[in-house]
Amino acid sequence: MAITIVDNNERIISWNKYTEGLLNMNEKELFMRPVESLYPPDEWKKIRAENVRQKGMKYRLETKLVRKYQGFFDAELSLCVLKDNTENIVGSIGIIKDITKLKKTEKKLKESEEKFRRFYENAPVPYHTLSPYGFITDVNEKWCQILGYSKKEAIGKTIFDFIVEEERESAKLSFKDKISSKKFYVEGHERKFLTKASEERTFMINDFLSYDESNNVNSIYTIIEDITGCKKTEKEYHEKLEILNEKLEKKVQERTAEIKQLLEQKDEFINQLGHDLKTPLTPLVSLLPILEKTEGDPKSKEILEVLVRNVNYIKNLVIKTIELARLNKDSTVFDLKDLNLWEEADNAVQDQKYRWDEKGLKVKNKINENIFVKADKLQLDELFYNLINNAVKYTTYGGNITIDAHSDGDFVTVSIMDSGIGINDEQIKYVFNEFYKADHSRHDFSSVGLGLSICKRIVEKHRGKIWVESPGIGKGSTFYFTLKMSKNRGLINNQ
Ligand code: ADP
């Protein structure tokens, strides 16, 4: 702080060191210097006038002072007259403060405030400013345009006065939350406002909160985006979409019914065809082997052998086709019982013992003997039979077949793993399709390509799933299916 003392003739008679630095003058230059020379002429006039007005009282003002070689700088001056014992004025004392930096900051602040005001006022979107109690302290031109109120009408009211009645209470609650959120920005939310012309408009509200030094909200700046148009379009769009969905749903239902009917017709046709073929096949299947046995001529015997094989193939095909058609029917119901899984698998293994023995296969049934499932006995037997039959068929001499199961909650997953010829990823997609044979070179007369389709229907009718996994050709395959665990017996502990 610079301190200078001036005599009655307004000449500097005393000062401190700081004054020399501030004014960039030495002792010689300062002593007895007319104080007037330190001010720009206008400022000096101002000071004189103020001196007269204050009548010797203490006062403070902002002015400009000279700094040698450097022009004028902004200064704050505190002045006080000095009196002697007899109350005569003998001079004055001045305290000078350099406020250049302060002035610069003030200027910048003013500029940015001005910029903000201009932006706020002319922004193409509606704005309002609220006090922490929800009172409107400012609105911009666009706000007035959209809501139809003048600034005068809006300022001083609460924002809730402009919100539709049914949303007013919830708006008050969310406002309170906003104030206590300590957030700077509260994400957009929708609110319905009422214009002066009583028109309802939907706005997207975006709040920016400003805080004072004690971290209390002092203002809320809100941008409101009129989305009434979008809302209307959105509503219309939804209505249209709903109508379209209804139409589509109806069409899908019609098509599904048509497809269902066609599938039923197909099943009925296959069923009929199967039964019609079965009748003339019966004498062929029973008589041809007798003829083959009694035939003495080797050439004719050979022909008869081929006939027997083909007739058996047709019989097999007919039986499986009829079975599949039966399973496809909605009316086919299963007789669900609590069955011991190990036992059912073992029956199928033993039934085919002669076949796997012949191929030198090792078959292991590792199923826990205490697992019970809810299933139709005949269908479960057929399922195991088909899958084990395939495992035997597609596993080469000396291979392994392992049957296992594990339960997870309500379901049991059964696996039939073989070390056979395996299936590639492409074939895996189709193996459960009707009449699909992965590779024709694999097939003999017992393969008609319906076994897995039948298995799939059986499992699905039990509300389970069936699938196959294989590491690739030559690396074996594992078929899995799930069945519901028996509720009464489930997995019985050994104790
Ligand atoms: P198929 O009567 O021909 O055995 P399936 O419906 O039972 O008819 O099987 C369809 C095809 O899936 C078979 O032709 C075979 O190529 C393939 N497949 C089925 N089981 C196995 C298996 N365990 N290992 C390798 N391929 C198999």
Side-chain angles (χ1 to χ4, degrees), residues 288-339:
L288 273 176
I290 301 173
L291 274 182
E292 186 205 338
K293 257 190 199 154
T294 52
E295 181 56 57
D297 175 37
K299 264 240 147 70
S300 306
K301 202 175 172 76
E302 208 176 294
I303 293 169
L304 279 166
E305 223 179 80
V306 174
L307 286 179
V308 168
R309 236 182 312 151
N310 277 287
V311 162
N312 273 329
Y313 177 78
I314 298 171
K315 185 190 98 181
N316 207 359
L317 183 65
V318 166
I319 290 171
K320 289 207 161 142
T321 307
I322 293 173
E323 175 63 8
L324 193 65
R326 195 182 73 82
L327 284 168
N328 278 341
K329 271 192 190 163
D330 281 345
S331 53
T332 307
V333 278
F334 285 178
D335 179 18
L336 298 183
K337 294 231 163 79
D338 296 331
L339 303 175

Side-chain angles (χ1 to χ4, degrees), residues 355-415:
R355 289 185 54 235
W356 52 265
D357 253 356
E358 204 176 61
K359 284 182 94 175
L361 304 177
K362 285 178 248 11
V363 182
K364 265 189 232 153
N365 178 1
K366 287 170 63 181
I367 296 177
N368 181 326
E369 285 176 33
N370 299 307
I371 297 177
F372 281 78
V373 290
K374 219 24 170 206
D376 181 300
K377 185 171 168 50
L378 287 178
Q379 301 306 326
L380 183 58
D381 286 350
E382 169 129 26
L383 182 61
F384 269 127
Y385 185 90
N386 281 345
L387 294 175
I388 293 169
N389 179 43
N390 276 351
V392 173
K393 195 167 21 171
Y394 298 112
T395 303
T396 40
Y397 189 88
N400 295 302
I401 296 170
T402 310
I403 306 152
D404 206 348
H406 72 266
S407 56
D408 67 69
D410 295 342
F411 281 88
V412 179
T413 304
V414 182
S415 59

Side-chain angles (χ1 to χ4, degrees), residues 174-416:
S174 87
F175 188 79
K176 265 190 194 163
D177 287 348
K178 239 178 263 175
I179 297 291
S180 49
S181 70
K182 296 285 166 213
K183 283 182 182 167
F184 286 99
Y185 169 65
V186 180
E187 247 158 66
H189 53 282
E190 287 174 22
R191 270 276 167 254
K192 285 199 189 102
F193 280 58
L194 213 57
T195 66
K196 197 172 179 182
S198 298
E199 194 196 339
E200 214 177 88
R201 299 201 77 86
T202 311
F203 292 116
M204 182 61 82
I205 311 285
N206 288 287
D207 292 308
F208 299 86
L209 282 72
S210 90
Y211 293 85
D212 60 19
E213 300 91 54
S214 339
N215 210 18
N216 292 319
V217 176
N218 56 14
S219 273
I220 301 165
Y221 299 93
T222 310
I223 306 175
I224 59 174
E225 189 189 346
D226 192 352
I227 54 165
T228 318
C230 306
K231 276 272 143 193
K232 215 172 129 201
T233 330
E234 204 178 294
K235 207 175 148 209
E236 282 169 7
Y237 175 75
H238 272 289
E239 279 167 6
K240 274 189 192 155
L241 206 72
E242 233 160 68
I243 296 171
L244 206 76
N245 268 348
E246 267 171 35
K247 279 187 187 163
L248 220 70
E249 183 103 355
K250 218 172 141 206
K251 263 218 168 101
V252 169
Q253 274 173 7
E254 281 169 12
R255 289 276 182 277
T256 315
E258 267 172 38
I259 291 168
K260 211 171 160 211
Q261 200 187 1
L262 281 172
L263 284 174
E264 276 168 13
Q265 279 174 3
K266 180 204 85 176
D267 288 336
E268 191 45 48
F269 170 74
I270 290 175
N271 194 29
Q272 196 53 49
L273 186 72
H275 281 291
D276 287 352
L277 281 172
K278 220 171 150 189
T279 322
L281 262 179
T282 314
L284 285 176
V285 171
S286 51
L287 295 176
L288 273 176
I290 301 173
L291 274 182
E292 186 205 338
K293 257 190 199 154
T294 52
E295 181 56 57
D297 175 37
K299 264 240 147 70
S300 306
K301 202 175 172 76
E302 208 176 294
I303 293 169
L304 279 166
E305 223 179 80
V306 174
L307 286 179
V308 168
R309 236 182 312 151
N310 277 287
V311 162
N312 273 329
Y313 177 78
I314 298 171
K315 185 190 98 181
N316 207 359
L317 183 65
V318 166
I319 290 171
K320 289 207 161 142
T321 307
I322 293 173
E323 175 63 8
L324 193 65
R326 195 182 73 82
L327 284 168
N328 278 341
K329 271 192 190 163
D330 281 345
S331 53
T332 307
V333 278
F334 285 178
D335 179 18
L336 298 183
K337 294 231 163 79
D338 296 331
L339 303 175
N340 181 284
L341 199 62
W342 179 89
E343 233 170 77
E344 300 307 317
D346 197 57
N347 287 342
V349 171
Q350 297 314 326
D351 275 358
Q352 301 183 61
K353 190 171 185 332
Y354 70 98
R355 289 185 54 235
W356 52 265
D357 253 356
E358 204 176 61
K359 284 182 94 175
L361 304 177
K362 285 178 248 11
V363 182
K364 265 189 232 153
N365 178 1
K366 287 170 63 181
I367 296 177
N368 181 326
E369 285 176 33
N370 299 307
I371 297 177
F372 281 78
V373 290
K374 219 24 170 206
D376 181 300
K377 185 171 168 50
L378 287 178
Q379 301 306 326
L380 183 58
D381 286 350
E382 169 129 26
L383 182 61
F384 269 127
Y385 185 90
N386 281 345
L387 294 175
I388 293 169
N389 179 43
N390 276 351
V392 173
K393 195 167 21 171
Y394 298 112
T395 303
T396 40
Y397 189 88
N400 295 302
I401 296 170
T402 310
I403 306 152
D404 206 348
H406 72 266
S407 56
D408 67 69
D410 295 342
F411 281 88
V412 179
T413 304
V414 182
S415 59
I416 291 124

